[in-house]
Amino acid sequence: MGCLLFTGRGRLTRALNRRKAIELIDEAKATVARLVRACSVIGICLRTLKRWRKALVGDGDGKDRRKGSPSAIAHRLSEEERQRILLTCNQPEYAALPPGQIVPALADQKLFIGSESSFYRVLHQAGQCNRRGRARLPQEPRSVPRLRADGPNKVWSWDISFLPTTVRDVWLYLYLVVEVWRRLPVLGQRAGGTRWWPGM
């Protein structure tokens, strides 16, 4: 039944379908059905049912009052302010800078046109929120080199481990160098800026 009445969770349900749902739930309640169970069969919660009944009481049109609020937002940018942001961002001295650098530069001149997020929002809506300045384009990750050890002393591998000591915030660096063909380790440690390699 839910699929016949409704278009899905989060979608606006027409007033006619809401009235039909209320009628069906009232019929189910009259036959000693639990209200919560009847609502769950329809696919709504008890809170939604109460809201629908309040909107449809008397000659209510059932219009969803949550969407398209006519109230004016005091801090919303006007069209003149939006155009000023665009003109500022397209000036030669700012054309190569991102908003994160434009806003502080304007603040140094004691000018405030909008916040950094407002600059980004206006540029995005105008289709100009691309890479500005000398920012590099995304680079493809380099492939990991594949080395093959086909004889002794051809490929060596190394790693560093940090070993804690009994003194707080003092660590030892343990170096391990491995000759891959024979897998012979050569150990070394560094302490106090010196290195020594036993076995080399």
Side-chain angles (χ1 to χ4, degrees), residues 61-116:
D61 57 359
K63 185 176 180 181
D64 192 351
R65 306 293 179 190
R66 297 173 300 164
K67 296 177 173 61
S69 174
S71 60
I73 300 174
H75 60 273
R76 179 176 290 168
L77 292 176
S78 64
E79 188 58 34
E80 292 79 16
E81 291 172 326
R82 296 167 59 82
Q83 290 302 320
R84 187 177 179 195
I85 289 176
L86 285 175
L87 289 173
T88 303
C89 290
N90 292 327
Q91 288 179 6
E93 60 267 28
Y94 301 124
L97 298 178
Q101 295 178 16
I102 297 174
V103 173
L106 293 173
D108 290 341
Q109 303 172 22
K110 295 184 173 28
L111 292 175
F112 181 78
I113 302 174
S115 65
E116 183 178 335

Side-chain angles (χ1 to χ4, degrees), residues 163 172-175 187-191 194-198:
L163 304 177
L172 293 177
Y173 301 86
L174 177 66
Y175 291 78
L187 295 176
Q189 70 178 5
R190 185 181 75 177
T194 61
R195 295 182 185 178
W196 56 276
W197 304 92

Side-chain angles (χ1 to χ4, degrees), residues 89-163:
C89 290
N90 292 327
Q91 288 179 6
E93 60 267 28
Y94 301 124
L97 298 178
Q101 295 178 16
I102 297 174
V103 173
L106 293 173
D108 290 341
Q109 303 172 22
K110 295 184 173 28
L111 292 175
F112 181 78
I113 302 174
S115 65
E116 183 178 335
S117 59
S118 296
F119 270 71
Y120 273 111
R121 191 181 313 111
V122 171
L123 287 173
H124 181 72
Q125 291 171 352
Q128 298 183 21
C129 194
N130 45 17
R131 293 184 178 272
R132 303 169 66 92
R134 294 182 294 177
R136 286 177 28 173
L137 293 174
Q139 304 293 318
E140 290 292 329
R142 291 187 294 178
S143 59
V144 178
R146 305 288 181 185
L147 303 175
R148 179 173 177 173
D150 52 3
N153 285 328
K154 298 285 185 176
V155 180
W156 290 77
S157 180
W158 67 277
D159 194 12
I160 301 176
S161 294
F162 301 94
L163 304 177

